[in-house]
């Protein structure tokens, strides 16, 4: 069969194109090709390097007061944009390839609306010819309801492709009318079944940029984390020999621009759960790289999805640096004692600090991420966390809490309690738990940016006046469209005061 598989466009305030690896889509392509189908995979968000500015949707009115025509180091997001073509245009592209089957891969439920629009556009344009159309992916698996209810969609496939397409051959999947559109995978796939994929995204000027995922599932059970909903609690790892095969075949794909350096981002949720395996894979990649005649200093690794610092120790950190890690993203999630218990996530200050000082000595940068807006969070806990991170030798990464259907408090047929599913984007700063309102969440985000600026003395010196005014008045300022300094229109003054109280600039540590 001729299959067109698509990762749809999406709309948001920002995107990270070098991470739009669509590993799920590429896994499905490899699986179906192995069954003899011809598959064209279109990763729509990457089909144009330009984002298209668009109108903020009506359901996002809550954030309007916090948006401004602003620029500079303390800004929030300013421009709602689209990555990839409009549904109508995308549908025309899909149909121009005359598919026998259309598959759509959705990685996050928050972007589900686009899937419905794309499916409807495919139907409208194809008219009387009804080409079977199925949807799947992590965004579908957690809450298939809206896709089942959409008449333009024939089949809703929940679970991992490795199992779904083993249990249901594509040729046998028929258009189903009514309620039995939903097919759920009966189990999780085994390590042997997991498809190894290395996907190249948009590279930097000096490096090729690729991503992969070695493992799935995590037994740690953090309350806020949706990993278990799609990948289960048992850790599975792609067998090293198959991963090595994929890396070897990647090495045979030369870069048309002649770039030699490669940064490989490991997107796993918790790589450090099996350190022996992780070490073996990194060593294998490195040895294949060097055997292919590539320079030792031309292969780098990142783990942008975050490393659990608790599972690291000093020796292993050194080993990772030796193997090619040049930056560390640590996921702290929660640092505040009151929240740790509730979120079933522990924080060991000493261990984290010891990693940071080791990295600082070696001149290796790090970013430490925390989640803001969890249930039970408060101005005080947010201020404490921001100060803790400010005082440590690391950049601050702030993730505004977003719910995923199936998490505690967001379950059932109406997981978002009547609110629009698009609000579950982190960038929407929606007050899902009620612990902090949108203004406080956005203020926390701006404060994190300000503190990072103040840590970076080179950049800070260019904004000395801005920083000076903010610290003096304990009011956040930003630059307007004409680079004029203006107070941020809506801000949480109490949060600003408690974070900035007692801070001096330039920093003394
Ligand atoms: C890389 C990544 C991204 C990339 C994009 C990846 C892409 N698709 O191009 C980037 C960084 C852009 C991204 C962004 C976001 N992400 Co993200 N991301 C991931 C991450 C770390 C890895 C995804 C991956 O490649 N997995 C490996 C592949 C093999 O798994 P898979 O995609 O699930 O595919 C399997 C199945 O789902 C299925 N399948 C997939 N497609 C299809 C299609 C069909 C037809 C069928 C039958 C089956 C099928 O088969 C595949 C093989 O088993 C996951 C966490 C994780 N470990 O999976 C989060 C994750 C997907 N992201 C998530 C979210 C919510 C986001 C955000 C929307 C969050 C936010 N801040 O608002 C942001 C958007 C921000 C922005 N504006 O950029 C959630 C989604 C939750 C959900 N189930 O709805 C996840 C699960 C993280 C989490 N635990 O919360 N993300
Ligand atoms: S946050 Fe990380 S450690 Fe916690 S359950 Fe999710 S993947 Fe596991």
């Amino acid at each position: 069969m001729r299959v067109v598989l698509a990762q749809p466009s999406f709309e948001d305030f920002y995107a990270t194109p070098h991470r739009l690896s669509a590993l799920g889509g590429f896994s499905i392509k490899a699986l179906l090709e192995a069954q003899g189908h011809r598959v064209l995979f279109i990763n729509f968000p990457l089909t144009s390097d330009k984002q298209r500015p668009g109108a903020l949707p009506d359901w996002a009115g809550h954030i309007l007061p916090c948006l401004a025509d602003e620029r500079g180091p303390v800004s929030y997001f300013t421009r709602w944009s689209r990555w990839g073509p409009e549904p109508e245009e995308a549908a025309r592209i899909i149909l121009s390839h005359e598919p026998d089957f259309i598959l759509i891969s959705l990685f996050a439920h928050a972007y589900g609306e686009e899937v419905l629009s794309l499916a409807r556009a495919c139907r409208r344009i194809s008219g009387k010819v009804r080409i079977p159309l199925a949807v799947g992916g992590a965004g579908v698996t957690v809450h298939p309801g809206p896709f089942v209810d959409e008449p333009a969609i024939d089949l809703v496939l929940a679970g991992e492709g490795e199992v779904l397409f083993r249990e249901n051959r594509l040729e046998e999947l028929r258009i189903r009318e009514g309620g039995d559109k939903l097919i759920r995978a009966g189990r999780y796939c085994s390590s042997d079944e997991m498809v190894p994929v290395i996907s190249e995204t948009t590279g930097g000027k000096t490096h090729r940029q690729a991503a992969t995922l070695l493992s799935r599932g995590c037994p740690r059970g953090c309350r806020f984390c949706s990993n278990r909903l799609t990948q289960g609690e048992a850790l599975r790892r792609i067998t090293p020999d198959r991963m090595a095969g994929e890396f070897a075949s990647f090495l045979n794909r030369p870069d048309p621009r002649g770039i030699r350096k490669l940064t490989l981002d490991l997107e796993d949720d918790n790589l450090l759960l099996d350190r022996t395996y992780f070490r073996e894979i990194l060593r294998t990649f490195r040895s294949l790289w060097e055997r292919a005649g590539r320079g030792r200093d031309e292969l780098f690794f990142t783990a942008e999805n975050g490393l659990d610092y608790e599972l690291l120790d000093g020796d292993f950190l050194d080993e990772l640096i030796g193997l090619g890690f040049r930056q560390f993203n640590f996921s702290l999630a929660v640092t505040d004692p009151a929240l740790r218990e509730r979120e079933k996530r522990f924080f060991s200050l000493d261990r984290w600090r010891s990693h940071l000082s080791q990295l600082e000595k070696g001149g290796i940068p790090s970013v430490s991420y925390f989640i803001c807006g969890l249930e039970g969070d408060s101005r005080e806990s947010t201020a404490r966390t921001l100060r803790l991170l400010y005082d440590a030798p690391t950049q601050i990464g702030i993730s505004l809490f977003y719910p995923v259907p199936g998490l505690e408090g967001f379950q059932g047929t109406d997981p978002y309690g009547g609110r629009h599913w698009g609000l579950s984007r982190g960038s929407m700063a929606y007050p899902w738990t009620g612990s902090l309102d949108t203004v406080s969440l956005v203020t926390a985000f701006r404060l994190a940016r300000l503190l990072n600026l103040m840590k970076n003395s080179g950049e800070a010196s260019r904004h000395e006046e801005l920083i000076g005014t903010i610290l003096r008045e304990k009011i956040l300022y930003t630059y307007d469209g004409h680079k004029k300094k203006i107070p941020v229109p809506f801000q949480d003054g109490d949060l600003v005061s408690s974070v900035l109280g007692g801070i001096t600039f330039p920093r003394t540590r």
Side-chain angles (χ1 to χ4, degrees):
M1 268 207 253
R2 197 199 320 252
V3 180
V4 175
L5 166 66
Q7 165 149 291
S9 312
F10 66 88
E11 292 187 352
D12 209 322
F13 282 111
Y14 75 101
T16 36
H18 75 273
R19 289 185 66 200
L20 275 165
S21 51
L23 297 171
F26 282 110
S27 313
I28 303 297
K29 177 175 158 67
L31 280 164
L32 294 179
E33 283 178 345
Q35 294 180 1
H37 302 290
R38 277 180 298 148
V39 185
L40 172 72
F41 177 45
I42 312 176
N43 190 359
F44 276 116
L46 287 189
T47 51
S48 155
D49 55 3
K50 288 205 174 54
Q51 65 197 74
R52 308 176 186 198
L56 190 70
D58 294 342
W59 43 261
H62 73 287
I63 201 162
L64 264 177
C66 296
L67 302 181
D69 176 17
E70 60 173 326
R71 54 206 61 196
V74 188
S75 316
Y76 192 62
F77 301 111
T78 52
R79 211 158 50 143
W80 183 255
S81 299
R82 158 171 285 272
W83 281 267
E86 295 286 341
E88 207 73 14
E89 192 185 335
R92 282 188 201 287
I93 296 172
I94 291 174
L95 294 167
S96 71
H97 295 284
E98 301 183 355
D100 303 313
F101 216 115
I102 300 171
L103 295 175
I104 301 178
S105 168
L106 175 68
F107 71 95
H109 194 257
Y111 296 145
E113 185 87 33
E114 184 77 20
V115 170
L116 304 187
S117 309
L118 179 59
R120 287 182 205 129
C122 287
R123 280 288 166 257
R124 249 190 329 271
I125 298 169
S126 63
K128 289 204 176 109
V129 188
R130 195 172 173 110
I131 304 161
L133 187 152
V135 300
V140 168
T141 301
V142 286
H143 185 47
F147 310 98
V148 173
D149 293 343
E150 172 53 55
I153 294 174
D154 298 308
L155 289 160
V156 180
L157 306 173
E160 292 177 317
E162 289 88 340
V163 176
L164 283 162
F165 291 118
R166 198 172 286 260
E167 292 175 344
N168 311 274
R169 292 194 64 83
L170 198 61
E171 307 76 325
E172 288 151 19
L173 288 172
R174 296 272 174 268
I175 295 173
R176 301 179 184 194
E177 305 289 349
D180 64 344
K181 283 187 195 174
L182 176 62
I183 299 178
R184 271 189 194 280
R187 59 180 173 89
Y188 291 109
C189 70
S190 66
S191 294
D192 291 341
E193 289 169 311
M194 273 168 72
V195 181
V197 177
I198 296 178
S199 156
E200 185 154 8
T201 55
T202 43
K205 288 201 177 82
T206 54
H207 284 231
R208 290 175 80 178
Q209 181 77 44
T212 192
L213 185 125
L214 309 167
S215 65
R216 295 190 205 151
C218 178
R220 305 247 290 170
C222 307
R223 182 173 176 260
F224 55 81
C225 174
S226 75
N227 176 296
R228 63 182 171 278
L229 305 174
T230 49
Q231 303 185 358
E233 288 175 3
L235 178 73
R236 295 156 293 148
R237 323 142 185 85
I238 301 185
T239 42
D241 53 327
R242 288 162 64 247
M243 210 55 240
E246 174 64 10
F247 191 67
S249 97
F250 178 80
L251 290 178
N252 287 331
R253 294 173 233 159
D255 181 67
R257 301 164 300 171
I259 293 180
R260 294 182 58 87
K261 288 184 181 167
L262 171 69
T263 298
L264 183 60
D265 184 31
L266 307 163
E267 286 286 5
D268 298 63
D269 271 322
N270 205 334
L271 265 178
L272 297 171
L273 285 169
D274 186 345
R275 198 192 279 207
T276 313
Y277 168 81
F278 184 25
R279 179 187 284 125
E280 181 182 346
I281 294 278
L282 294 182
R283 286 186 180 158
T284 306
F285 284 173
R286 193 150 271 293
S287 101
L288 286 168
W289 178 263
E290 287 170 27
R291 266 195 271 149
R294 312 290 180 93
R296 229 199 115 61
D297 295 338
E298 292 177 337
L299 176 62
F300 304 93
F301 298 108
T302 50
E304 292 205 31
N305 195 25
L307 287 176
D308 187 346
Y309 71 91
E310 266 196 74
L311 298 174
L312 266 177
D313 60 37
D315 291 343
F316 197 46
L317 196 57
D318 274 341
E319 205 177 325
L320 293 179
I321 296 166
L323 283 162
F325 268 82
R326 287 291 173 276
Q327 149 152 358
F328 286 83
N329 292 20
F330 291 131
S331 36
L332 308 186
V334 279
T335 67
D336 207 69
L339 289 177
R340 284 183 235 158
E341 199 75 29
R342 184 200 291 269
E343 295 300 328
K344 301 196 191 125
R345 173 77 178 216
F346 295 92
F347 177 63
S348 125
L349 194 58
D350 291 345
R351 186 175 275 270
W352 169 65
R353 278 199 179 129
S354 127
H355 297 336
L356 294 182
S357 66
Q358 191 175 336
L359 292 175
E360 192 184 29
K361 279 186 206 126
I364 308 252
S366 70
V367 188
S368 300
Y369 286 88
F370 79 104
I371 306 177
C372 183
L374 287 164
E375 201 179 323
D377 221 338
S378 63
R379 278 197 188 100
E380 293 70 31
S381 56
T382 304
R384 274 196 298 273
T385 301
L386 283 168
R387 281 299 288 260
L388 178 82
L389 294 173
Y390 178 67
D391 291 335
T394 184
Q395 286 284 295
I396 305 171
I398 178 166
S399 309
L400 303 184
F401 172 74
Y402 61 85
V404 174
L407 290 181
E408 214 179 305
F410 302 93
Q411 288 158 337
T413 49
D414 179 16
Y416 302 123
R419 280 152 298 185
H420 196 281
W421 50 350
L423 293 170
S424 64
R425 291 159 168 87
S427 62
M428 279 289 156
Y430 193 80
W432 288 104
T433 62
S435 60
L436 292 170
D437 63 14
T438 298
V439 172
S440 302
L441 290 166
V442 172
T443 303
F445 184 95
R446 291 179 184 274
L447 282 164
R449 292 202 67 191
L450 172 73
L451 298 179
N452 280 338
L453 172 72
M454 288 163 59
K455 279 166 180 252
N456 179 347
S457 49
E459 232 220 307
S461 60
R462 292 194 281 116
H463 299 284
E464 240 171 74
E465 208 221 323
L466 181 82
I467 299 171
T469 313
I470 294 174
L471 290 185
R472 207 171 39 252
E473 297 184 19
K474 304 283 180 295
I475 292 174
L476 286 177
Y477 278 79
T478 187
Y479 299 127
D480 71 6
H482 308 285
K483 291 206 177 143
K484 195 173 146 251
K485 200 172 67 196
I486 50 158
V488 166
F490 282 83
Q491 58 184 293
D492 179 339
D494 291 344
L495 183 58
V496 176
S497 305
S498 48
V499 171
L500 299 183
I503 285 190
T504 50
F505 180 76
R507 285 179 86 201
T508 41
R509 276 209 7 242

